[in-house]
Amino acid sequence: TQDRLGRPMHDLRISVMDRCNFRCTYCMPKEQFHDRYRFLKASERLDFEEIVRVARAAVRLGARKLRLTGGEPLLRTGISDLVGELSAIDGVQDVALTTNGVLLAQHAAELKGNGLQRITVSLDSLDEAVFARMSGGFGGLGQVQEGIVAAREAGGAPRQGNAGGP
């Protein structure tokens, strides 16, 4: 399958969560995504069975790489189980995840064990003050760094990039 410009479509990006534990100024600013903001209820999101069904259909159409995103995908309960189900789809060559990294330390080993091949940690700054300002004051730079270490120890060296892209 090709896009409108004739390029092959091999990658499928799957947003598994509409909420995030950060309030980055460019993505989910506090002014808009405040304490009373109505995110989707769990029953309104695709369940894992539905996500796997969509992924299988995309693989039949030529997708080979799957990337889990959000919001923050590590907020989704059972995300490691989903990784395992997606990794088991015949024809999938790569399952990746983009995260802000705050919860990565507690999930890295299980994600890797269930077939996650790549992790992209979106990181705006290594300066704590800039990091706090960019994330809306949520989470800490130390937690992200611990997550990166845990991912490396689990066997996957995460790529560090800016939060504006994969």
Side-chain angles (χ1 to χ4, degrees):
T1 302
Q2 297 180 335
D3 68 11
R4 289 186 225 168
L5 299 175
R7 299 172 297 195
M9 294 190 298
H10 298 293
D11 298 11
L12 176 63
R13 193 176 194 108
I14 304 168
S15 178
V16 298
M17 179 60 81
D18 64 323
R19 62 190 74 213
C20 186
N21 46 0
F22 281 8
R23 289 296 172 266
C24 297
T25 55
Y26 50 83
C27 184
M28 288 188 138
K30 282 188 225 183
E31 300 77 33
Q32 183 177 352
F33 298 94
H34 45 76
D35 291 340
R36 294 176 319 282
Y37 182 81
R38 187 194 174 287
F39 289 99
L40 293 174
K41 296 176 185 171
S43 63
E44 296 173 317
R45 291 191 301 260
L46 292 177
D47 63 31
F48 288 174
E49 183 179 312
E50 292 167 319
I51 292 171
V52 170
R53 191 174 338 140
V54 168
R56 281 194 177 109
V59 169
R60 283 193 300 273
L61 294 171
R64 298 290 173 253
K65 295 180 180 181
L66 308 177
R67 175 172 292 280
L68 302 178
T69 67
E72 172 52 49
L74 296 180
L75 290 174
R76 182 77 185 251
T77 302
I79 190 71
S80 294
D81 295 331
L82 177 61
V83 167
E85 291 182 51
L86 295 173
S87 296
I89 296 172
D90 195 31
V92 170
Q93 297 171 352
D94 183 64
V95 178
L97 181 131
T98 299
T99 177
N100 62 32
V102 167
L103 301 173
L104 186 55
Q106 65 194 71
H107 293 281
E110 187 176 13
L111 287 164
K112 179 67 176 172
N114 282 350
L116 189 71
Q117 293 169 300
R118 293 181 299 122
I119 299 170
T120 300
V121 175
S122 298
L123 182 58
D124 287 311
S125 179
L126 291 173
D127 178 285
E128 289 196 38
V130 173
F131 179 90
R133 188 170 60 248
M134 294 299 294
S135 69
F138 293 82
L141 179 59
Q143 293 170 290
V144 176
Q145 291 169 320
E146 289 170 15
I148 292 170
V149 169
R152 286 190 175 156
E153 289 173 354
R159 288 190 280 160
Q160 295 178 7
N162 67 17

